[in-house]
Amino acid sequence: MKILFFLVLLGLHSAAAVIHSMKNFFTVSSEVPNFPELVAVGMVDDVQIYHYDSNTMRLVPKQDWMNRVAEDEPQFWKTYTARLFGYQQLFKGYFETLKHRFNQTGGVHIFQWMVGCEWDDETGDVNGFRQVGYDGEDFLSWDVKTNTWIAPKQQAVITKNSWNNDKSQLAYYKNYLTQECPDWLKIYVKYGRSSLMRTELPSVSLLQKTPSSPVSCFATGFYPDRADIFWRKDGEELHENVELGEILPNHNGSFQMNVDLNLSSVIPEDWRRYECVFHLSGVKDDIITKLDKAVIQTNWGKTGDGSDGGFPLGAVIGVVVVLLLLVVGIVGFFIWKKKKGKEGFKPANISDTDSDNSGSQNPKA
Ligand SMILES: *[C@@H]1O[C@H](CO)[C@@H](O)[C@H](O)[C@H]1NC(C)=O
Ligand SMILES: *[C@@H]1O[C@H](CO)[C@@H](O)[C@H](O)[C@H]1NC(C)=O
Ligand SMILES: *[C@@H]1O[C@H](CO)[C@@H](O)[C@H](O)[C@H]1NC(C)=O
């Protein structure tokens, strides 16, 4: 039992050995209605772990396992809340300096500060990064090797020079990124491992908007966001007539993605040679969906839709199904009546004909 457990752990580990990351995003803004002056968000492996803003001034855990970190490490929680308040003052100061430098007296402006680190849980290597953006553009970035700021644009040179002269601040930054950040990342990963390292397979469906649209192979509900999706013909991956979508987050922490296949020059007899393949990192078995007209979910020909504006096929199908059910019901009733005497109660089973599209997905919801 113990050995089996160990092997399972080992299997999981080697399959999902990853570089873990911690990222903190600070956004300072001016004159954005109903938006706090400072918002801070922390992510581990791209999953949000905390929220802080200058209105509430509270550090709020965003995952169940982060609640346990907060409970087990109250001192850390207090210190970090105080530090966020300090950052609020510091970044506001930087923000005002930049506004002044750009001769801006008012209006909507955004200052972004991103800081974080990576940790390879196999080799133990750590790496840090720190970047500053102003009004949506890169402003300064920090070079981990030389522990200095780099300016990608001329307007940032004054700031770069002044920040590079602040040796004590640089020393603090260096210590934070090489020591503190990886140490905390390791603690987060320890608490969150079972959640962060889980794999969840998606449901995969084939969707088509109109009879001449490409067929979209749509996977939703997978985790983590390391996945591939592609079309195959006779077992060979296709690169032409396909359009790969981005991996997008769902509201519940899972992800979705799609790949579209343009079938306009494919004759119907050849459809069965195509299949859609979904692969999730760390999972051996792919999800393979054969291209089959019968399984494609469509937007046209549904009752109450109205968008096709043509023949009300859905309504007709509905009536036919009701009539069929009625006939099956009546026939079933008579069969039941006939058999009742010999075999007891045996209702006609009509539930199988009552299939609907309740499983249909809403892409990019
Ligand atoms: C700001 O205004 C000063 C004086 O009017 C000018 O010299 C400087 O180039 C301006 N800076 C920018 C970024 O527009
Ligand atoms: C998360 O949301 C997606 C899309 O709505 C859904 O397919 C999936 O089943 C959900 N997963 C969980 C665990 O609720
Ligand atoms: C599909 O391919 C045909 C030609 O093979 C092209 O005319 C058509 O615009 C394509 N459709 C889409 C949606 O890309």
Side-chain angles (χ1 to χ4, degrees):
M1 184 67 195
K2 247 191 187 143
I3 290 173
L4 182 69
F5 184 61
F6 179 69
L7 283 178
V8 167
L9 273 182
L10 204 69
L12 266 179
H13 184 76
S14 60
V18 282
I19 295 178
H20 295 286
S21 68
M22 163 89 204
K23 291 181 195 136
N24 300 277
F25 296 89
F26 302 90
T27 306
V28 187
S29 58
S30 60
E31 296 184 33
V32 180
N34 306 317
F35 199 69
E37 199 173 23
L38 175 121
V39 175
V41 168
M43 319 273 278
V44 165
D45 294 356
D46 295 323
V47 171
Q48 189 184 353
I49 59 162
Y50 74 76
H51 174 98
Y52 170 94
D53 69 58
S54 52
N55 289 354
T56 62
M57 298 215 281
R58 281 183 54 233
L59 181 58
V60 182
K62 284 291 182 184
Q63 299 292 326
D64 288 341
W65 53 269
M66 273 304 277
N67 290 330
R68 286 195 288 122
V69 177
E71 280 161 24
D72 291 359
E73 309 280 347
Q75 195 50 46
F76 164 75
W77 213 251
K78 250 170 116 175
T79 312
Y80 197 64
T81 307
R83 190 185 286 180
L84 284 165
F85 182 73
Y87 286 156
Q88 189 177 317
Q89 311 306 313
L90 178 73
F91 296 147
K92 253 180 81 177
Y94 288 163
F95 186 41
E96 293 305 322
T97 308
L98 290 187
K99 275 202 280 194
H100 187 72
R101 189 149 299 146
F102 286 107
N103 291 340
Q104 291 155 343
T105 49
V108 173
H109 296 288
I110 312 268
F111 172 89
Q112 288 162 288
W113 180 286
M114 195 270 277
V115 58
C117 57
E118 287 174 343
W119 164 56
D120 185 325
D121 71 358
E122 273 199 338
T123 64
D125 289 348
V126 294
N127 188 21
F129 38 85
R130 182 178 278 119
Q131 268 175 300
V132 179
Y134 188 72
D135 281 350
E137 293 189 23
D138 290 344
F139 189 71
L140 284 175
S141 63
W142 185 77
D143 180 44
V144 62
K145 288 194 188 74
T146 58
N147 193 29
T148 50
W149 290 98
I150 306 168
K153 322 164 76 155
Q154 191 55 34
Q155 290 103 310
V157 169
I158 304 175
T159 313
K160 180 197 80 170
N161 291 340
S162 100
W163 288 4
N164 279 340
N165 280 331
D166 193 343
K167 299 297 177 207
S168 67
Q169 187 76 299
L170 285 178
Y172 166 76
Y173 284 159
K174 179 164 188 158
N175 181 62
Y176 173 77
L177 283 192
T178 53
Q179 289 294 325
E180 215 177 308
C181 182
D183 284 353
W184 274 105
L185 175 54
K186 288 170 198 173
I187 291 172
Y188 294 140
V189 170
K190 191 183 90 188
Y191 275 88
R193 182 171 290 274
S194 62
S195 165
L196 295 170
M197 304 290 267
R198 77 190 192 277
T199 50
E200 259 172 59
L201 287 171
S203 61
V204 178
S205 12
L206 301 181
L207 312 170
Q208 196 178 25
K209 281 202 189 90
T210 72
S212 57
S213 308
V215 172
S216 185
C217 179
F218 177 66
T220 186
F222 60 90
Y223 183 92
D225 61 349
R226 292 185 298 276
D228 283 323
I229 193 167
F230 56 92
W231 281 98
R232 225 158 43 182
K233 182 190 179 190
D234 300 331
E236 294 276 336
E237 181 172 351
L238 284 174
H239 297 284
E240 268 165 44
N241 295 322
V242 291
E243 198 178 329
L244 180 64
E246 282 181 86
I247 295 186
L248 300 170
N250 283 325
H251 290 296
N252 59 12
S254 69
F255 296 91
Q256 57 165 272
M257 79 190 297
N258 69 292
V259 60
D260 293 359
L261 174 64
N262 183 344
L263 285 160
S264 59
S265 53
V266 177
I267 53 167
E269 294 78 67
D270 277 349
W271 276 38
R272 54 184 182 76
R273 296 165 66 186
Y274 292 81
E275 59 195 12
C276 170
V277 182
F278 175 87
H279 172 77
L280 187 63
S281 168
V283 175
K284 211 173 105 242
D285 294 324
D286 294 338
I287 300 178
I288 294 169
T289 313
K290 290 218 171 286
L291 180 59
D292 175 0
K293 260 206 172 89
V295 303
I296 297 178
Q297 296 174 36
T298 61
N299 278 344
W300 71 89
K302 291 232 174 86
T303 43
D305 176 50
S307 62
D308 55 358
F311 189 64
L313 191 61
V316 173
I317 289 175
V319 170
V320 170
V321 168
V322 168
L323 281 177
L324 262 174
L325 289 181
L326 213 63
V327 170
V328 171
I330 291 165
V331 171
F333 177 74
F334 280 111
I335 292 172
W336 169 66
K337 261 199 111 173
K338 249 180 115 177
K339 288 190 173 177
K340 202 179 154 201
K342 286 179 240 160
E343 297 168 38
F345 184 62
K346 240 190 193 171
N349 182 7
I350 57 167
S351 65
D352 280 349
T353 53
D354 191 18
S355 69
D356 63 13
N357 275 333
S358 60
S360 69
Q361 309 282 338
N362 188 11
K364 302 191 176 101

